[in-house]
Amino acid sequence: MLSDWRVIYIGGVFIPLFLFIILIGKPQKSTADKILSAWLFFAAIHQLLMGGYAYNNMSDLPALIGWEVPFPFLHGPFLYLYILFLTGQQRRGWRHILHFVPALVVALILAPVLTSMPAQEKLGMTGPSRFEPLFRWIVRGIVISGVVYVILSLNLLYRHRRNVAVQFSNTDKITLNWLRYLIGGMGVIWVVVIFFQSASSLYLVVALFIFFIGYFGIRQVGIFSNPPPAHEVYLPAVVQLPEIPPAVMAVEDVADKKVKYEKSGLTEAAASGIYAALNTLMEEQHCYKDAGLTLGDLAKTLEVHPAVLSQVINSKEGKSFYDYINALRVAAFIQLLQQPEQQRYTLLALAFECGFNSKTSFNRNFKKITQLSPSSYVKEMHIHIQEDDESEG
């Protein structure tokens, strides 16, 4: 029967290899998938080396002692680049490879050092090593790298949240937990590196983190399997966060609006045509009733660039895409309330019929537009409707 440490050791190496194999076998791999698979491959090698050192001092393979040191410089860049490509915030070019230069430099520095050190010196059996100052500086570099890349990854997540808010008409059920788990898990690892300088503790927390990735990654649609057909969503570089003008424009502001259109290559006449087509589409097809509607969906239907459509909505309505669609949903909800045959349904059922996908989103947007909660509005209008405890929240 294997001892406890061997079970942990084998598990810490087997899990990333297993996830790596799953990703390699995934059809239609994206660049983000390839980055994640490479990350898992190097994580498996790192666990193999670090686990051997932590649990049996690598006495049987002394030549490999110390080669685990460059690997921590890979994990931060892999985390950052994976999030960068997964959220579509990358730019073209070869510069992304520069993130791996520190790991390469450390490996080149250590190559002559590790080959010249006897195993007893590597294991600290002969007292302090002559290369101890070098290793201290490398450890400091590892800590700095980890902290910097966690901060950079958090910034990517913040920017991605802004992009989601620009393009989606319902945001309550769009979860970013997968990215939060990755960043949070890496943060925990660096805390262990800084405050618990123990090889076995670090190995264990990395093994748990990889298990964590596997468990939630398999549950998350699209990470280790192909996602179902989705609504049209564009990269942040395609849909920039527009400036929202005042809700009501005075006549003297028309000239400024013309200048704004000219700078973007969109004339006021073209903007008016797109706006008219958008209103016709909403009146005839009631697209706002699609709970998953995105800016990309409408842009594709109207055959216009998503950034142009966003600009038209902002300029003509004085609202973001999100507020524009939810205002239409609230208006449709109020119309349904006026129909006696609809009053046998609950408020939430009518809200879902109009395109809302959660009671929180419904109540928030309704109150934002009418200054009243849905139940207060119903009472004020003396409308008798089916009771629903979930209509508030």
Side-chain angles (χ1 to χ4, degrees):
M1 184 174 180
L2 291 176
S3 59
D4 292 341
W5 76 262
R6 287 188 179 273
V7 173
I8 298 173
Y9 177 57
I10 293 173
V13 176
F14 173 77
I15 293 172
L17 283 177
F18 175 71
L19 298 176
F20 168 74
I21 292 171
I22 292 178
L23 268 177
I24 289 297
K26 177 182 176 180
Q28 301 176 356
K29 288 184 287 294
S30 65
T31 303
D33 293 329
K34 295 174 183 177
I35 292 172
L36 181 58
S37 61
W39 185 10
L40 289 169
F41 176 75
F42 283 105
I45 298 176
H46 187 199
Q47 287 291 85
L48 184 67
L49 295 172
M50 189 168 61
Y53 176 75
Y55 291 104
N56 71 351
N57 292 330
M58 295 288 283
S59 54
D60 49 345
L61 293 171
L64 296 180
I65 299 175
W67 284 108
E68 74 281 355
V69 174
F71 283 87
F73 287 97
L74 295 175
H75 300 312
F78 271 126
L79 171 70
Y80 174 79
L81 292 177
Y82 175 67
I83 295 176
L84 185 75
F85 279 83
L86 186 66
T87 58
Q89 300 181 59
Q90 77 279 5
R91 293 182 175 87
R92 293 181 180 178
W94 54 270
R95 291 177 297 175
H96 299 305
I97 200 71
L98 295 177
H99 290 280
F100 299 103
V101 169
L104 179 61
V105 169
V106 171
L108 292 175
I109 292 174
L110 288 180
V113 173
L114 294 176
T115 53
S116 66
M117 291 177 68
Q120 291 79 5
E121 184 180 356
K122 292 180 180 180
L123 296 173
M125 295 179 179
T126 59
S129 170
R130 51 196 162 133
F131 298 106
E132 187 174 343
L134 172 63
F135 284 103
R136 279 203 301 265
W137 279 106
I138 291 176
V139 169
R140 290 171 186 168
I142 289 172
V143 171
I144 293 172
S145 173
V147 173
V148 167
Y149 276 103
V150 167
I151 293 173
L152 290 175
S153 299
L154 285 171
N155 183 55
L156 288 179
L157 180 59
Y158 170 75
R159 285 160 51 186
H160 182 55
R161 289 180 61 187
R162 291 183 62 193
N163 181 51
V164 166
V166 170
Q167 296 198 59
F168 289 83
S169 60
N170 270 315
T171 60
D172 284 18
K173 293 190 176 182
I174 296 175
T175 177
L176 303 177
N177 285 345
W178 168 246
L179 299 182
R180 293 192 186 102
Y181 293 153
L182 287 178
I183 298 172
M186 287 294 291
V188 170
I189 289 175
W190 294 118
V191 168
V192 173
V193 170
I194 296 171
F195 296 104
F196 304 93
Q197 296 183 1
S198 165
S200 57
S201 298
L202 182 58
Y203 180 86
L204 182 60
V205 75
V206 172
L208 290 174
F209 173 61
I210 295 173
F211 175 79
F212 195 71
I213 288 178
Y215 176 73
F216 285 100
I218 289 173
R219 291 184 60 188
Q220 180 88 11
V221 175
I223 302 301
F224 291 98
S225 61
N226 285 324
H231 291 268
E232 286 289 325
V233 182
Y234 291 86
L235 305 184
V238 176
V239 183
Q240 299 294 335
L241 188 65
E243 296 180 2
I244 301 178
V248 180
M249 271 192 172
V251 175
E252 54 267 24
D253 290 333
V254 172
D256 292 336
K257 187 167 68 172
K258 287 182 179 179
V259 172
K260 179 180 179 183
Y261 286 148
E262 288 172 1
K263 287 182 179 179
S264 65
L266 179 68
T267 64
E268 187 178 356
S272 297
I274 294 171
Y275 182 60
L278 175 64
N279 286 332
T280 300
L281 182 67
M282 290 299 172
E283 290 172 3
E284 294 180 353
Q285 298 188 23
H286 308 294
C287 299
Y288 53 83
K289 291 187 177 182
D290 179 1
L293 184 69
T294 68
L295 179 67
D297 293 335
L298 285 184
K300 186 176 182 180
T301 302
L302 293 171
E303 298 181 344
V304 299
H305 193 282
V308 170
L309 179 58
S310 178
Q311 180 186 359
V312 168
I313 293 173
N314 274 259
S315 298
K316 296 295 186 179
E317 288 283 338
K319 301 171 184 174
S320 66
F321 166 75
Y322 175 87
D323 288 334
Y324 168 68
I325 295 299
N326 283 291
L328 292 175
R329 289 168 176 165
V330 169
F333 173 83
I334 292 175
Q335 285 184 351
L336 286 181
L337 281 179
Q338 311 301 324
Q339 302 173 16
E341 66 273 15
Q342 299 291 342
Q343 294 174 8
R344 58 196 175 107
Y345 298 105
T346 64
L347 292 177
L348 202 55
L350 295 180
F352 287 165
E353 173 66 23
C354 295
F356 291 103
N357 69 344
S358 73
K359 63 176 182 179
T360 303
S361 176
F362 166 52
N363 285 312
R364 181 176 62 247
N365 283 283
F366 190 91
K367 192 169 185 178
K368 180 179 180 180
I369 293 171
T370 66
Q371 309 304 313
L372 293 170
S373 67
S375 58
S376 298
Y377 180 87
V378 167
K379 290 177 183 177
E380 189 167 296
M381 299 300 295
H382 304 290
I383 298 174
H384 299 285
I385 195 167
Q386 181 76 24
E387 293 288 335
D388 186 352
D389 294 335
E390 294 188 359
S391 60
E392 301 295 334

